[in-house]
Amino acid sequence: MTVRSKLVRYVSIFCVSVAGVTDMASSHSSTDYAIIINNTENNGDSNSSVKFEKREGAENDDENLEFVFVKRLGFRRLNGTDVSEKLRRNLTLKQWTCGRKQCKECIQCLITCSKMENCKSFLFALSSHGVTKDDGLHIQFIDGFVPLHEIISFLKDCNCLKGKTVILVVEACRSGVGTQGR
């Protein structure tokens, strides 16, 4: 059994185990929000010198995460609407953060501009390549890397997430620099 099939089996078992919690979303008045990002392959959007290898089987990660957190547990996906569909797969560094305020064209602005007054929980799930460097795990976007500690710092320091339960799910290898990571 491959690692990927074990993951799908685990997610399936998890979904069965939370079946009794399916009505959880309708039983409380708050809305829980989610950002789910799945980097699977470079589809020509980047002229970067960083090579993003296709992640075989990764196309299932998005569906599995959405099934568990959106359909079963009732999270509202912020980057799954028509406006933010481009922030769902194969993100560039500029789509992670643009450096401007309130553009809603990057993940950081999408999160900070969202109305989360009644939100109790926020899920940030990211499935991509990763490499371990001296300062820790770095997550690969299509055209470069973001240190995991920067992602955690953003979520921790984001004013709209203060006082909320923040769930971070990262699916990335931890290979060393220059290795395939398979």
Side-chain angles (χ1 to χ4, degrees), residues 42-77:
N42 184 348
N43 44 3
D45 294 342
S46 168
N47 295 327
S48 173
S49 61
V50 173
K51 183 169 172 63
F52 192 96
E53 299 277 336
K54 181 175 180 169
R55 296 175 57 235
E56 297 295 332
E59 56 277 350
N60 297 322
D61 293 351
D62 190 60
E63 289 85 18
N64 290 334
L65 288 165
E66 181 150 343
F67 178 77
V68 170
F69 291 104
V70 176
K71 293 189 173 126
R72 289 291 189 182
L73 295 176
F75 282 78
R76 182 173 164 235
R77 188 168 183 171

Side-chain angles (χ1 to χ4, degrees), residues 95-156:
Q95 289 173 309
W96 163 245
T97 183
C98 66
R100 300 184 317 236
K101 300 280 186 197
Q102 302 179 351
C103 74
K104 294 187 182 180
E105 295 177 13
C106 74
I107 293 295
Q108 288 188 10
C109 290
L110 184 63
I111 293 170
T112 57
C113 291
S114 296
K115 305 275 187 228
M116 294 195 212
E117 296 85 28
N118 296 326
C119 172
K120 290 186 180 177
S121 302
F122 177 79
L123 167 78
F124 187 84
L126 177 58
S127 180
S128 190
H129 288 301
V131 297
T132 302
K133 298 182 181 180
D134 291 338
D135 63 341
L137 181 62
H138 290 237
I139 307 300
Q140 186 173 8
F141 284 71
I142 298 306
D143 58 349
F145 295 88
V146 175
L148 181 59
H149 66 84
E150 285 185 18
I151 295 170
I152 293 169
S153 291
F154 168 75
L155 295 171
K156 191 175 171 182

Side-chain angles (χ1 to χ4, degrees), residues 165-181:
T165 301
V166 177
I167 304 162
L168 176 62
V169 176
V170 176
E171 196 284 308
C173 64
R174 292 179 287 180
S175 63
V177 175
T179 64
Q180 281 294 92

